[in-house]
Amino acid sequence: MKKEVQVHSLFSDFDISLFRAGKHFRLYEKFGAHLMEVNGEKGVYFAVWAPSAKSISVIGDFNYWLEGEHQLNVRWDGSGIWEGFIPGVEKGTKYKYKIQSHHNDMVIEKADPYALSCEHPPNTASIVWDLDYKWKDKKYMSTRKDKNSLDQPFSIYEVHLGSWRKNMDENRSLTYTEMADELVGYVKEMGFTHVEFMPIMEYPYDPSWGYQLTGYFAPTSRFGNPQEFMQLMDAFHKEGIGVILDWVPSHFPEDKHGLGQFDGSHLYEHPDPRKGYHPDWKSLIFNYGRNEVRSFLISNAVFWLDKYHVDGLRVDAVASMLYLDYSREDHEWEPNEHGGRENLDAISFLRELNKEVYGSFEGVQTIAEESTSFPMVSRPVDLGGLGFGMKWMMGWMHDTLEYFKKDPIYRQYHQNDITFSMTYTFTENFALPLSHDEVVYGKHSLLGRMPGDEWQRFANLRLLYSYMFTHPGAKLLFMGAEIGQYEEWNYNTSLDWHLLQDDYHKGVKELLTDLNKLYKKQPALHEKQFSAEGFEWIAYDDSKNSVLSFIRKGKDPKDSLIIVCNFTPSVLTDYSVGLPASGKLKEIFNSDEKKYGGSGTKNKSLKIEKEEFHGRDHSAEITIPPLGTVVFKIL
């Protein structure tokens, strides 16, 4: 028998019209479970979208999980929204929706799509919660636009919270509160400007690493509650470090308590399996053409920026959204209305997402993980682009790692692999990723890819990072790369922190700390990192020596840097480099320094001669260390 559910609504007619038009981007203020007082009684207002439901009961530990005790009321306007106020329900109450569907009278138990907190998996109930918190980052938020703009250094440390560091005494991951001390301090010490979390939204299955979500509005309970996650955000902001969240609007799992067949119908997923089922991940794909689903997803992106003060979203698997034939055989997909393979609904959704994010929040960035040559991913929507701030440079990552795998003796035959990226670097605002995907599934760790003896392997790794930090674009490095992990990443174990007892590993960490300092201190490395005006080749064709030389430029010509990379273990002495001006050449960075584990081959202050070389009026003879990168400044 229905009892104690009072008629109450947070929805105005305008809210309903926006929702049905796919233009309501603050749905978290309406849907879900909201603690409030109605007619002098404290309790919770519940609202859920389920147009194919015949009846919906809120079941939970407050009513012994009994169906029919507290049935919600369906709105009269045909919106498919069920709602009602239940007195006496308190913060911390566990609940689900029990839905009887019009489809075959099936009865389903579902978690709340808008729940602010969830039970620790494998338990699946939603938890009534609030977002009350006194933020302490007002100063940071007011100046964020200056730190987060594209002409500023963007050095990202990618983290899987469950495996970054363990509490070894209790054999568990750190809590949000512990990370606010240990992780924040470490990222600050290393000098990264941003941290990126692999998905922290609630997910049921640890081996998915968080990329198959069931609680889009709830930070995972594995490490603490919502307020404790806010404390972690606050702690990063106190140190001036931006936080980027991985966000997954591309697909969701089929878990029974999740979004799949939510009300007995294909509500969130596309009903056509050619568009609604992902064969690779055995997951469901959102129906980007359904207005209410677009409102749900864009509201979710806005939610993290609004309520958790997030500084950016890295959008996962964008390529799988853009193409109807992604990972499908010829007979498994249907062309769009123009006969093409592009998913027009998904493209429209991504453009609307970015318009809303950039229009509503100052100083944030969206970053696309997009692995194809789809045009204008990081160009403004009003110019025909998708509107992202940046795009991962997957081609650079692939070509570079393939090149570094090769024995240096063969690199002279593959010079094009290491130079090719510069033919398209400025077609997008690229971020250079050495991400978690590159150190799993038998690919080996980054160190494990490097050829040669122990010294050469570490020298190659230092060279890789130095080349990366001097190449145009933002930088992203997955945790563990900075200490030279031997083993592939394992989501279930801690990083091998004991390796830092060894000088080679300690040297890699010190090198990356100094590279972050260099990247931040030298305007030439970031002011024009997305512009062709910020780069100029000196010589890219010295394949015989496997050497690259180029100039990085900032807004002031005096800030220009000369970078020379030697991809062989031979020391090159009296090596002539054409230069743009007279003066003296001062070495300001050398990846072969002894403190990094190198040989200590260095350059003293060098006089620039008025001798033509590389088509320039001036030149100097330098020494290039083995498997090393040297950065010079003209004084």
Side-chain angles (χ1 to χ4, degrees), residues 21-23 25 288-291 294 298 321-322 342-356 374 381 385-387:
K23 301 294 183 181
F25 304 140
Y288 305 109
R290 188 163 193 169
N291 287 340
R294 291 164 73 102
I298 297 177
M321 301 170 65
L322 294 175
E342 296 81 11
N343 187 330
L344 301 180
D345 288 335
I347 291 168
S348 168
F349 159 73
L350 290 170
R351 286 175 171 154
E352 191 159 29
L353 163 74
N354 284 311
K355 281 175 64 177
E356 177 61 25
F374 192 93
V381 172
L386 290 185

Side-chain angles (χ1 to χ4, degrees), residues 515-528:
L515 282 170
N516 275 323
K517 289 177 183 175
L518 185 76
Y519 182 35
K520 288 189 282 190
K521 183 178 179 181
Q522 298 298 329
L525 294 179
H526 59 257
E527 284 184 343
K528 294 187 176 183

Side-chain angles (χ1 to χ4, degrees), residues 300-338:
N300 184 240
V302 167
F303 170 80
W304 293 102
L305 300 167
D306 177 17
K307 297 300 183 181
Y308 284 91
H309 293 199
V310 166
D311 304 290
L313 298 170
R314 177 272 201 181
V315 183
D316 184 61
V318 171
S320 74
M321 301 170 65
L322 294 175
Y323 297 103
L324 296 165
D325 64 344
Y326 184 88
S327 197
R328 297 179 188 273
E329 302 294 333
D330 288 345
H331 64 282
E332 294 176 336
W333 66 282
E334 185 178 50
N336 63 34
E337 61 192 65
H338 305 299

Side-chain angles (χ1 to χ4, degrees), residues 140 142-153 362-363:
Y140 171 87
S142 67
T143 59
R144 178 173 66 177
K145 65 181 185 299
D146 301 322
K147 300 175 182 291
N148 234 21
S149 61
L150 296 177
D151 62 354
Q152 293 298 309
E362 190 174 41

